[in-house]
Amino acid sequence: MIVLNVLIEHAIYALNRPFSYAYEGKENPQIGERIQVPFHGSLLVGYITEINETNKSKEEYEKEIGYKISFANKLLDDAPLLNEELRTLANEVSKYYMAPLISVYQAMLPPSLKPTSASLKHAKIAYEKYVRIKDYSEDELTAKQLELLRLIKNNKNVKKSDIKSLSILNKLIEYGRVEEYKVEKSRFSHETTKEFVEYELTKEQKEVKDKFISSTKKVALLEGVTGSGKTEVYISLVKDVLTKGKDALILVPEINLTPLMMQRFYNLFKGQVAILHSELTSGEKYDEYRRIVKGEARVVIGTRSAIFAPLKNLGIIILDEEHVESYKQDNTPCYHAREVAIMRANHFEDCKVLLGSATPSLESEARALKGVYEHLELKIRINKKELPLTKIVNMQDYRNLDKNSMFSKDLKSKIEETLNRNEQVVLLLNRRGYSTSMLCRECGHIMRCKDCDIPLVYHHEDNLMKCHNCGYVEPVPTRCPKCGSPYLAKIGFGSERVEELVKKSFENAIVLRLDSDVGRVKNNISSILEKFSKNEANVLIGTQMIAKGHDFPNVTLVGLVLADLGLSLPSMRSSERTFQLITQAIGRAGRGEKKGMAIIQTYMPNHYSIIYGARQDYKAFFNEEMRIRKLQQNPPYTFASTLTIVSKSEEVAHDVALRTIDLVIRQSQGEITAIGPSKPYVSKDATGFKEVCIFKYKKQDLFRTIMQNILNILSKNSSVSIKIDIDALNI
Ligand code: ADP
Ligand code: ZN
Ligand code: ZN
């Protein structure tokens, strides 16, 4: 008989150990394959971690170990899912991030190969289901159903896989309002439409490249101002790596937002490129994954989880825009692609990691300055293009304001001038929707989400109230739900309102808006960016999405409608985020022949993140921010991690969190600062009430030991669930 040790698909701490099953099937199981096993009355997917042969019978074996074991069902794979290097990596990630091992395997693999029951429904072959309107009528629909119906109506070629709320879609199909149709999907096609010129590296680029190659350090940070040509350096390094017969892995924050970089890589490396990102269908992902496994693709470009791409002979890992927070996963395992990249590079003899950014994270810059990472710099923009002129406008001073108060006189007149010169404008407001909340003027009631308790945001486009956390929607009320008064006010403003105002105020404005609402339909983002780059519109309004690495030569004015928006959020990172956003946004102006200008509207004109952001003075910002971090003993001076306790009972969550904090304080003898418990901004959701404990410490090993004790206690408590976020960004 064969005895298999199997990890169960439920990624919870209480089940974070292998369970034994007897196996008598025909095929030979191997470590790293999936197998279906019975578990507490249901059939689950398991992942084989160990195989033992015994010449005992099942009964004899059970007698020896002292408990009964079940038979495993069907073997699901004919080869291990992950090679040895990736299995080692999984162990390291699980240990570092204190995440159940199975959750790491799940994060590493594409949908059709994940060790989960859901994976079995994912097609390994690619075909695509679409939905369209069959019979348009809004009668008798709930707000959620209405929202989806309008979304489908307003968009062509809506893929079923793009629709998050399948149950609502199914209702609409059941009512005959929407129908499904299938399209045979040709496999993921790597289009190379654009022709690119090959550049000779500039002297500065070449120096950076040489220094990277000759460095004895495993990791290098490339700090290069916007437009300094970091991409060319990446490309040149990747070429070298391929020549040496090794593979290259390039991570970008969001594929959508970097179409040019993608096309450039395709163009150069053709069939050797594979792409891994969330917008691919599961069939496409499976295909790309197989191409990498088979060694056909040797350059992989992708978002966060592409760090786990099964390349066998890594020669370089590049993280572009390393400071972007989407490199950190928000749910278990809460890994950061940068840290995983370094773990992985250590598996290969001469694989190095290159981190690139115009505004490096404080963590990376601090390490570079200390000499842990090689510090590389690109200080000049290509062709010596100057950075745009910037002006900070104090919005507290009414004399600066135009009569509508959202735009200053400066911004308004500059928009006018720019449009009249047939040049383009980018306006950034990092908040989507129309207004931030709906307030009753009579009783002061603010409409809130029934699950999350945060204010609902009014959306003009589909005329609904929406929760930005969980996606709950409801119709716009005509009367206050509390007192019945008809006097309701829309408070605050978001990107939709800026769009409305621009259309009203500038008659020659042709406006496009880009935010995650628009991005809910696939390809919308790239088509908007394409239109804007073809000058089919002259104003682009959006959230931080438009601040990312786009290259629009005709943009000569960037306006930050309210630059301090992020500063009011209670986070030790709010200054860093604000500085990065301003710097990145300003970098969009004046990339072509003409000189650019940026106007920064703010209520906090004296805040250092705004002043240094406007000056694009990274060094000054870094020094000031480090001073404050040191005073407050925040990262990078310490490590900071969070433990979130979730329970259906508010008291239980609070009580358990309190006791946890106590325990940590008692066990750590002053080595760990424990803060809280406190309620996060979104203090509850469908899973329950949340309480967060924050821990700051210098000794990582000590923290892990204590945390492991806590986990052992908490995982026995079935009234709470927990989440551990090591090196949390949200504190
Ligand atoms: P970054 O990523 O640092 O912001 P990019 O890589 O987007 O900068 O480069 C800015 C611009 O300069 C791009 O249009 C790019 O094609 C161009 N460029 C980069 N390197 C060179 C070079 N060596 N010679 C000429 N143009 C270059
Ligand atoms: Zn009221
Ligand atoms: Zn909600």
Side-chain angles (χ1 to χ4, degrees):
M1 184 189 64
I2 291 177
V3 180
L4 303 176
N5 276 356
V6 173
L7 287 174
I8 301 299
E9 65 178 281
H10 294 316
I12 58 175
Y13 290 96
L15 299 180
N16 189 21
R17 64 177 177 88
F19 292 83
S20 298
Y21 288 91
Y23 179 79
E24 286 187 337
K26 287 192 292 290
E27 287 99 333
N28 258 344
Q30 296 179 62
I31 290 176
E33 293 179 341
R34 291 172 300 174
I35 192 157
Q36 246 172 345
V37 292
F39 192 81
H40 289 295
S42 53
L43 208 52
L44 299 182
V45 169
Y47 177 98
I48 303 173
T49 57
E50 209 183 310
I51 301 173
N52 294 309
E53 289 217 52
T54 156
N55 41 25
K56 298 194 181 77
S57 71
K58 185 161 174 282
E59 287 70 33
E60 285 166 353
Y61 185 80
E62 286 171 340
K63 208 164 184 183
E64 186 182 299
I65 57 172
Y67 55 86
K68 289 211 173 294
I69 59 174
S70 314
F71 277 110
N73 282 42
K74 201 170 64 189
L75 197 60
L76 298 169
D77 298 300
D78 49 21
L81 298 171
L82 296 163
N83 65 31
E84 212 182 307
E85 186 257 322
L86 287 168
R87 294 208 291 262
T88 310
L89 185 68
N91 284 323
E92 289 167 358
V93 171
S94 160
K95 229 170 129 183
Y96 185 91
Y97 288 102
M98 304 195 79
L101 187 55
I102 194 76
S103 74
V104 181
Y105 290 136
Q106 286 162 355
M108 287 176 126
L109 286 153
S112 22
L113 295 176
K114 286 186 199 300
T116 61
S117 296
S119 70
L120 306 180
K121 292 189 215 100
H122 281 287
K124 288 186 181 177
I125 45 154
Y127 63 88
E128 203 75 80
K129 283 185 192 162
Y130 286 80
V131 291
R132 60 189 166 209
I133 298 291
K134 188 176 176 200
D135 176 16
Y136 192 86
S137 144
E138 299 196 342
D139 296 347
E140 290 171 37
L141 295 183
T142 65
K144 270 280 187 198
Q145 292 165 350
L146 204 58
E147 183 192 29
L148 185 57
L149 189 75
R150 289 180 190 168
L151 179 84
I152 295 171
K153 181 173 155 241
N154 294 335
N155 289 284
K156 276 192 221 102
N157 306 329
V158 181
K159 279 190 188 149
K160 192 175 175 188
S161 57
D162 285 344
I163 292 174
K164 308 221 163 54
S165 37
L166 273 186
S167 60
I168 296 167
L169 178 69
N170 287 336
K171 277 279 179 248
L172 289 176
I173 293 174
E174 187 189 316
Y175 298 160
R177 311 280 169 95
V178 168
E179 65 183 356
E180 197 178 291
Y181 61 106
K182 259 191 203 178
V183 176
E184 183 90 36
K185 168 92 181 131
S186 63
R187 291 299 179 136
F188 186 60
S189 61
H190 294 233
E191 281 168 43
T192 51
T193 44
K194 266 207 161 74
E195 279 304 316
F196 290 93
V197 246
E198 286 269 334
Y199 295 115
E200 184 105 10
L201 291 189
T202 62
K203 184 163 164 281
E204 204 189 16
Q205 284 170 323
K206 188 146 186 343
E207 279 166 12
V208 158
K209 182 186 164 188
D210 292 344
K211 199 168 164 198
F212 176 77
I213 291 172
S214 61
S215 168
T216 52
K217 291 175 181 142
K218 202 76 183 167
V219 187
L221 172 67
L222 171 54
E223 186 187 332
V225 294
T226 52
S228 59
K230 293 185 285 293
T231 315
E232 285 314 304
V233 176
Y234 303 157
I235 287 173
S236 178
L237 286 167
V238 170
K239 272 189 189 160
D240 283 11
V241 162
L242 289 180
T243 322
K244 280 195 266 171
K246 293 178 186 284
D247 308 328
L249 178 51
I250 301 125
L251 296 191
V252 293
E254 215 170 327
I255 293 270
N256 265 323
L257 300 176
T258 43
L260 274 180
M261 181 152 153
M262 298 313 282
Q263 286 176 3
R264 193 140 168 63
F265 272 92
Y266 281 155
N267 212 299
L268 283 164
F269 303 111
K270 311 246 154 44
Q272 296 187 83
V273 178
I275 260 213
L276 290 174
H277 67 100
S278 59
E279 288 223 341
L280 301 186
T281 64
S282 46
E284 288 171 336
K285 278 183 196 153
Y286 179 76
D287 265 16
E288 291 295 84
Y289 199 83
R290 295 299 305 164
R291 286 182 56 232
I292 305 168
V293 170
K294 282 187 278 180
E296 281 171 33
R298 292 179 42 217
V299 179
V300 173
I301 307 177
T303 44
R304 183 180 58 225
S305 65
I307 192 58
F308 301 116
L311 291 164
K312 285 183 216 65
N313 192 11
L314 273 174
I316 191 168
I317 305 177
I318 297 170
L319 262 85
D320 188 31
E321 312 268 6
E322 68 88 32
H323 64 278
V324 173
E325 295 191 5
S326 64
Y327 282 130
K328 180 97 157 78
Q329 180 155 296
D330 222 13
N331 41 30
T332 311
C334 298
Y335 70 92
H336 196 302
R338 184 205 303 136
E339 300 311 314
V340 179
I342 298 169
M343 288 177 197
R344 235 193 133 177
N346 282 324
H347 297 173
F348 299 89
E349 190 146 346
D350 37 33
C351 173
K352 285 189 195 167
V353 178
L354 179 59
L355 310 172
S357 175
T359 54
S361 61
L362 260 69
E363 280 84 351
S364 295
E365 180 77 4
R367 285 180 197 168
L369 291 179
K370 261 172 66 182
V372 182
Y373 300 165
E374 187 70 53
H375 195 196
L376 309 168
E377 281 183 282
L378 282 174
K379 291 181 184 159
I380 12 184
R381 274 183 145 187
I382 293 290
N383 298 332
K384 308 234 167 24
K385 260 165 228 148
E386 290 165 63
L387 286 166
L389 287 173
T390 54
K391 177 162 188 183
I392 298 174
V393 179
N394 181 4
M395 299 297 276
Q396 276 185 354
D397 187 340
Y398 69 93
R399 286 166 302 187
N400 290 336
L401 303 185
D402 190 60
K403 50 186 178 308
N404 67 59
S405 87
M406 197 195 298
F407 292 146
S408 58
K409 287 176 184 156
D410 276 318
L411 184 55
K412 187 156 183 223
S413 65
K414 284 291 172 215
I415 295 177
E416 250 156 29
E417 287 169 25
T418 309
L419 296 182
N420 289 339
R421 286 198 309 263
N422 285 320
E423 293 166 6
Q424 290 174 299
V425 179
V426 165
L427 292 177
L428 183 134
L429 179 68
N430 206 10
R431 189 156 66 193
R432 64 199 170 88
Y434 186 88
S435 67
T436 46
S437 56
M438 184 80 97
L439 171 88
C440 170
R441 285 208 195 281
E442 207 94 39
C443 75
H445 175 71
I446 286 182
M447 293 186 59
R448 287 173 184 277
C449 173
K450 63 174 178 35
D451 282 330
C452 315
D453 206 37
I454 59 173
L456 292 173
V457 174
Y458 168 64
H459 282 243
H460 185 68
E461 200 161 68
D462 40 13
N463 196 27
L464 290 164
M465 304 296 297
K466 303 189 183 190
C467 170
H468 279 189
N469 180 55
C470 71
Y472 167 79
V473 291
E474 61 180 59
V476 179
T478 47
R479 287 177 178 279
C480 171
K482 204 169 163 206
C483 75
S485 156
Y487 301 109
L488 298 175
K490 299 179 185 113
I491 307 291
F493 55 92
S495 53
E496 278 190 349
R497 195 148 176 185
V498 179
E499 180 183 13
E500 184 184 81
L501 186 67
V502 170
K503 283 178 177 163
K504 247 191 245 164
S505 316
F506 308 97
E507 53 183 26
N508 55 349
I510 308 164
V511 183
L512 290 169
R513 200 185 84 232
L514 189 67
D515 52 33
S516 53
D517 288 323
V518 177
R520 286 204 303 165
V521 172
K522 190 171 174 172
N523 292 332
N524 245 0
I525 294 179
S526 35
S527 87
I528 286 173
L529 292 173
E530 178 92 13
K531 273 188 198 155
F532 194 63
S533 72
K534 284 189 187 149
N535 275 288
E536 286 171 26
N538 51 14
V539 183
L540 178 65
I541 295 167
T543 54
Q544 34 101 23
M545 273 190 173
I546 59 174
K548 301 280 165 64
H550 318 295
D551 205 357
F552 303 119
N554 198 31
V555 171
T556 53
L557 176 66
V558 168
L560 283 96
V561 179
L562 197 52
D564 47 80
L565 210 53
L567 289 176
S568 55
L569 300 174
S571 165
M572 59 153 270
R573 286 179 207 275
S574 61
S575 298
E576 187 179 3
R577 287 172 183 147
T578 301
F579 174 81
Q580 286 165 347
L581 186 66
I582 294 175
T583 314
Q584 298 283 342
I586 295 177
R588 294 317 106 211
R591 289 172 74 96
E593 295 306 313
K594 302 158 210 150
K595 182 139 180 79
M597 156 115 213
I599 293 191
I600 301 161
Q601 302 192 141
T602 174
Y603 289 102
M604 300 167 85
N606 297 320
H607 195 280
Y608 64 99
S609 64
I610 300 212
I611 292 174
Y612 296 139
R615 281 196 219 145
Q616 305 250 316
D617 191 342
Y618 179 79
K619 294 273 182 293
F621 172 77
F622 176 82
N623 289 334
E624 178 62 13
E625 181 67 10
M626 285 296 270
R627 194 181 64 78
I628 294 168
R629 298 278 180 100
K630 188 171 185 185
L631 271 176
Q632 300 173 343
Q633 282 298 295
N634 275 332
Y637 287 97
T638 53
F639 295 97
S641 300
T642 61
L643 172 72
T644 306
I645 314 264
V646 187
S647 173
K648 292 285 178 198
S649 149
E650 197 169 358
E651 286 80 54
V652 170
H654 186 70
D655 193 49
V656 170
L658 260 183
R659 278 189 287 136
T660 303
I661 295 246
D662 263 4
L663 207 62
V664 172
I665 290 175
R666 265 188 286 130
Q667 294 191 0
S668 70
Q669 301 180 348
E671 295 284 355
I672 301 175
T673 311
I675 304 163
S678 60
K679 290 192 192 307
Y681 174 63
V682 179
S683 63
K684 66 186 184 90
D685 62 18
T687 63
F689 294 89
K690 298 179 184 182
E691 293 276 340
V692 182
C693 315
I694 301 174
F695 304 108
K696 295 199 251 179
Y697 49 93
K698 292 200 164 159
K699 298 181 176 162
Q700 286 184 290
D701 288 344
L702 176 79
F703 174 73
R704 284 204 172 70
T705 310
I706 292 177
M707 212 26 103
Q708 192 56 54
N709 294 341
I710 303 265
L711 275 183
N712 295 344
I713 300 169
L714 291 183
S715 61
K716 292 193 187 82
N717 184 344
S718 60
S719 61
V720 297
S721 61
I722 45 186
K723 174 178 137 180
I724 287 198
D725 188 350
I726 299 287
D727 304 334
L729 295 180
N730 292 320
I731 53 165

